[in-house]
Amino acid sequence: MLTLNFPFFPDNVCEEHGIWDTFPCPWPGCKNGIDDECFQVQGCIEGQKVTTYKRRAWQSPLGGTYYNWDGDDLPNWFSVPKTFWNEARRLKLITMDLPRLIYHYTTLEGFIGIVQSRSLWLSDYSFLNDKRELMHGAEIIREVIAGMLEARPNSPITDLLHHWDQEIAEPNHRVCIASFSAENDSLSQWRAYGTIALGINPRHLPVHAHQTRLQPVEYDHDIQRKLSTVYLYHMTQMYEADLSADRLERIPDVYHQTDRFIELAAFFKDSAFRTEQEYRLAYIENSEVLNSLNVSPPPKRFRVSKSRLQPYVASDELFPIKNQHRPLEIEEVILGPETDELFERGIREFLDSCEMVDVSVRRSRVPYRT
């Protein structure tokens, strides 16, 4: 049987099947996969047991079959997000193409803190002015749940669907996000968020900030509904598979947690905001699951924002992997339309003092009084 070393970061891409993963493409016969129906992975710690992964087939509610690699040591619940987003890419519900850079607009104070710490600050969603946005996505998911209950009123998963519906209506998970824009010189972003925009390679962010999800925000209601449908049907299939394989003995209530759905909802916004072209880096904290695995959550930190204390988590403190620290990489700094030559000079000298001499700096091309 083929044996692979434990991979820390995703580096296998299959555009045909939407795969961006740490393992080979699971589709049978794919040139980016393997012929064997299973393989083994050697753990990263000496003495850790070898895990066997088997090819598994799942049925899509939108038609057809899709695949993933199913490990033998944990419930399928842990692989739900990875498998779902791979399938969403295969169905062209989300794109595999990412801009070379995305831009985080911030204040001068925020810029100094980000550069000095080489990390991002993911703000607690419940303290943001637009916190009601999360309910937009939650309502889409509840619509799909209602349709599933109507179609299968006496299903073995009926109780689980009712539970999800009730919990999603009043989510209590800690949600922290950092926002970016695909626009590198946007007047609306300058007005809303500050005088500096940091250009960051989106492919580096998941490597830097572990246990986060980076996705473009979806504004189309029809696609939001399709994504919710695929997610819910996949979750129920995995639940039934784990029940039949007796994999839920250690954490029997893990499927009753709704953080997976809250993460999905965090990437849905009303179509009126489409011009923002927003990308989000999201971290969803589930204290019950962390406690069951004896894992401590990242520390809660605070900063001053608009004369208020704003809780946040630092991206470099999200479950760092030992000996695998990757500081935030900033490739470009753009200065807002109200900045001048002296402001630019100060920014350049500050970056040089922080040993970031290769970061390019330029001023906005937006007219000062636009």
Side-chain angles (χ1 to χ4, degrees):
M1 184 184 301
L2 178 66
T3 299
L4 304 175
N5 292 324
F6 184 86
F8 281 109
F9 307 116
D11 58 4
N12 290 311
V13 176
C14 175
E15 294 188 5
E16 179 182 359
H17 299 118
I19 301 298
W20 185 37
D21 202 350
T22 52
F23 298 139
C25 178
W27 255 253
C30 179
K31 64 180 181 180
N32 299 308
I34 59 175
D35 294 331
D36 296 355
E37 288 297 308
C38 57
F39 63 88
Q40 293 180 328
V41 172
Q42 179 64 54
C44 59
I45 301 174
E46 185 177 352
Q48 191 176 36
K49 76 167 190 170
V50 173
T51 302
T52 300
Y53 288 84
K54 300 178 181 178
R55 197 190 317 271
R56 285 290 301 266
W58 310 95
Q59 299 304 309
S60 170
L62 303 186
T65 302
Y66 60 100
Y67 301 85
N68 79 333
W69 295 111
D70 177 12
D72 60 5
D73 57 342
L74 292 171
N76 280 286
W77 181 87
F78 288 92
S79 67
V80 165
K82 178 174 69 175
T83 303
F84 162 74
W85 290 109
N86 284 342
E87 175 62 1
R89 283 187 284 267
R90 186 186 75 88
L91 293 171
K92 303 296 190 292
L93 297 176
I94 61 173
T95 181
M96 288 194 73
D97 298 325
L98 292 172
R100 193 185 75 81
L101 298 177
I102 54 178
Y103 294 84
H104 179 66
Y105 288 76
T106 186
T107 62
L108 179 59
E109 293 79 9
F111 164 75
I112 292 172
I114 291 170
V115 171
Q116 288 180 333
S117 66
R118 297 295 296 273
S119 67
L120 290 165
W121 300 344
L122 285 74
S123 299
D124 191 312
Y125 209 103
S126 64
F127 281 75
L128 299 179
N129 291 332
D130 55 358
K131 61 185 178 182
R132 282 291 305 171
E133 286 181 4
L134 194 63
M135 295 313 300
H136 169 79
E139 288 165 5
I140 299 291
I141 295 171
R142 294 185 70 204
E143 288 176 11
V144 176
I145 291 175
M148 294 175 69
L149 286 169
E150 183 177 354
R152 303 173 63 186
N154 299 312
S155 166
I157 61 169
T158 297
D159 289 344
L160 184 60
L161 290 172
H162 278 297
H163 174 81
W164 287 344
D165 184 56
Q166 293 171 3
E167 292 294 314
I168 293 171
E170 297 182 5
N172 57 9
H173 295 296
R174 187 180 184 206
V175 180
C176 298
I177 65 167
S179 293
F180 305 82
S181 175
E183 293 289 330
N184 64 10
D185 195 359
S186 167
L187 181 60
S188 62
Q189 295 288 312
W190 294 127
R191 287 173 170 169
Y193 300 110
T195 58
I196 298 181
L198 307 180
I200 297 170
N201 188 328
R203 294 159 186 82
H204 294 166
L205 279 174
V207 174
H208 162 72
H210 306 304
Q211 303 301 318
T212 59
R213 173 70 52 184
L214 175 71
Q215 290 291 148
V217 170
E218 180 54 59
Y219 303 96
D220 185 282
H221 184 276
D222 182 57
I223 294 179
Q224 291 172 358
R225 188 175 178 86
K226 287 180 178 178
L227 287 168
S228 300
T229 299
V230 173
Y231 209 122
L232 283 157
Y233 273 83
H234 182 65
M235 185 79 88
T236 55
Q237 286 185 79
M238 285 196 159
Y239 173 65
E240 292 176 312
D242 282 337
L243 276 180
S244 64
D246 293 325
R247 288 192 181 184
L248 300 178
E249 181 178 358
R250 182 180 174 189
I251 40 179
D253 295 329
V254 68
Y255 278 95
H256 289 73
Q257 307 300 319
T258 54
D259 54 313
R260 303 295 200 213
F261 303 121
I262 300 306
E263 179 184 76
L264 180 62
F267 295 105
F268 292 170
K269 291 183 75 169
D270 189 271
S271 60
F273 300 97
R274 186 184 300 272
T275 57
E276 294 178 349
Q277 298 188 54
E278 182 181 356
Y279 284 72
R280 280 182 174 171
L281 184 72
Y283 163 69
I284 317 297
E285 188 168 290
N286 188 325
S287 57
E288 292 186 27
V289 172
L290 292 178
N291 289 337
S292 69
L293 298 174
N294 198 29
V295 174
S296 299
K300 180 183 290 188
R301 303 197 180 279
F302 296 85
R303 61 186 175 89
V304 177
S305 176
K306 298 179 180 178
S307 300
R308 297 178 181 177
L309 280 178
Q310 169 74 61
Y312 72 93
V313 295
S315 57
D316 63 340
E317 295 180 331
L318 294 170
F319 313 111
I321 299 175
K322 187 176 181 181
N323 300 323
Q324 293 290 331
H325 176 63
R326 302 287 182 95
L328 178 70
E329 297 184 18
I330 300 170
E331 296 193 17
E332 183 177 32
V333 173
I334 302 178
L335 311 180
E338 296 187 7
T339 58
D340 55 21
E341 184 177 346
L342 191 59
F343 188 94
E344 179 180 352
R345 177 182 167 188
I347 294 297
R348 289 184 182 276
E349 291 198 11
F350 174 68
L351 289 171
D352 290 349
S353 72
C354 294
E355 300 183 350
M356 299 178 70
V357 296
D358 294 331
V359 176
S360 66
V361 180
R362 65 178 175 88
R363 296 213 299 271
S364 168
R365 297 184 178 91
V366 174
Y368 181 78
R369 295 188 181 279
T370 295

